[in-house]
Amino acid sequence: MAEAGTTPGGGGRDGDAAPAGHASPLGSVDKALVALEALAAAGPAGVALGDLARSLGLHKASLHRTLAALRYRGWAEQDATTGDYRLGPAATALATVYLGEENLPALLHPALVAVCRATDELVHLGALAGTEIVYLDKVEPARAVRVWSAVGRRRPAATTALGRALLAHRPLDDDALAWYAAAAPDDHPVSPAALRETCEATRASGFATETEENEPGISCVAVPVLRGGQSVAAVSVTAPAERLGARRRREVEAVLRDVVPPLLPPTLTVPDAVLAGRGAPRSRRSATDAAL
């Protein structure tokens, strides 16, 4: 640790080193932010003051004052029994707003545009709303024969690629599976066991698919977008079924794999199973061209 009054790397004036050797314009604010990041990494179990101070290279007394200020505003909370610190409701509420349905279209629209350019097909952004998915955004290709859709439209999660991508990365017990399965349309019934199998296959591959289960003549491929390992949205490519056979589906998966991750905000990612398939062959434009 630095001695009091020093500013190693341009850090704060209270004797704490600035992270990563870079100068912070305001050391006290920087200290609060790195403390919040560490609390987020610690998870719901929290972390002791001493352990947190050592991991951040900060003095305990100084960090204690920072945490007290964060507690005052609800950004951190302290376990009454153990004394450990964890993120408070104000921090989680801010994350919820940032990644809420109102903000997701703006955050992910560039990814939708790039995927549409690379595939020349309709691209959707969807999120869960009860037992259904709701289309939050879409980007349409210029081609003459394309699929119709509308932002705000809702479809059963159990029979859509978007819904399956989302459900595969949510905690699902037997009751939840039964709830989603029961909402499937009468012309395409889904059993809880079949839905569980579909979710397991989706987790294994990283992609969800459906072929004419949601709408006659239409097929989709979707990839989930995750925060902290749990799905918050999904991106899908939708096309006439005759245009989305097995070979074309693999090409679309490669586009989603290459194009979507680089265009996500830092807090969002795709499943590891998706990234593990990098290097699969693609057709049409390169990922770089698609993102331009």
Side-chain angles (χ1 to χ4, degrees):
M1 292 185 187
E3 295 298 323
T6 63
T7 55
R13 296 181 179 178
D14 51 10
D16 298 321
H22 294 291
S24 171
L26 193 56
S28 59
V29 173
D30 189 73
K31 188 195 310 177
L33 293 174
V34 296
L36 285 172
E37 291 175 350
L39 293 179
V47 61
L49 174 61
D51 293 337
L52 186 60
R54 281 189 294 274
S55 69
L56 296 178
L58 303 176
H59 291 302
K60 284 178 62 175
S62 175
L63 180 58
H64 185 267
R65 292 193 298 271
T66 297
L67 292 171
L70 292 173
R71 286 180 60 199
Y72 178 74
R73 291 295 180 183
W75 291 87
E77 57 186 20
Q78 188 175 22
D79 190 285
T81 302
T82 66
D84 291 348
Y85 291 88
R86 57 179 173 264
L87 276 185
T92 54
L94 186 64
T96 299
V97 171
Y98 178 69
L99 294 173
E101 289 186 7
E102 297 82 1
N103 209 29
L104 281 172
L107 292 173
L108 300 181
H109 189 76
L112 270 63
V113 171
V115 172
C116 182
R117 288 177 178 173
T119 62
D120 202 24
E121 301 288 2
L122 173 65
V123 181
H124 284 121
L125 173 69
L128 274 177
T131 60
E132 300 175 312
I133 58 100
V134 58
Y135 296 127
L136 302 179
D137 194 11
K138 69 171 182 175
V139 176
E140 293 184 302
R143 68 193 309 162
V145 180
R146 58 184 187 268
V147 178
W148 176 89
S149 73
V151 172
R153 189 184 186 199
R154 294 171 180 250
R155 306 300 297 167
T159 55
T160 59
L162 282 171
R164 291 166 177 176
L166 287 156
L167 293 179
H169 293 274
R170 293 289 181 97
L172 295 177
D173 57 20
D174 291 342
D175 290 341
L177 283 167
W179 185 54
Y180 286 111
D186 293 338
D187 56 344
H188 284 289
V190 176
S191 70
L195 182 56
R196 181 182 295 280
E197 184 177 343
T198 297
C199 288
E200 290 174 351
T202 297
R203 280 195 297 273
S205 70
F207 298 97
T209 63
E210 62 96 355
T211 302
E212 300 188 85
E213 295 169 72
N214 179 45
E215 192 171 341
I218 303 301
S219 293
C220 297
V221 178
V223 65
V225 176
L226 312 180
R227 182 188 67 180
Q230 182 164 306
S231 60
V232 294
V235 176
S236 72
V237 173
T238 303
E242 68 269 16
R243 225 164 46 213
L244 201 57
R247 178 178 178 181
R248 177 62 174 151
R249 189 164 57 246
R250 289 192 296 271
E251 294 172 352
V252 168
E253 289 175 356
V255 169
L256 292 169
R257 177 186 300 117
D258 293 346
V259 173
V260 173
L263 297 177
L264 293 178
T267 53
L268 299 179
T269 186
V270 297
D272 290 342
V274 172
L275 300 177
R278 278 181 171 162
R282 279 184 53 185
S283 67
R284 305 195 181 196
R285 308 182 194 186
S286 68
T288 302
D289 292 339
L292 295 178

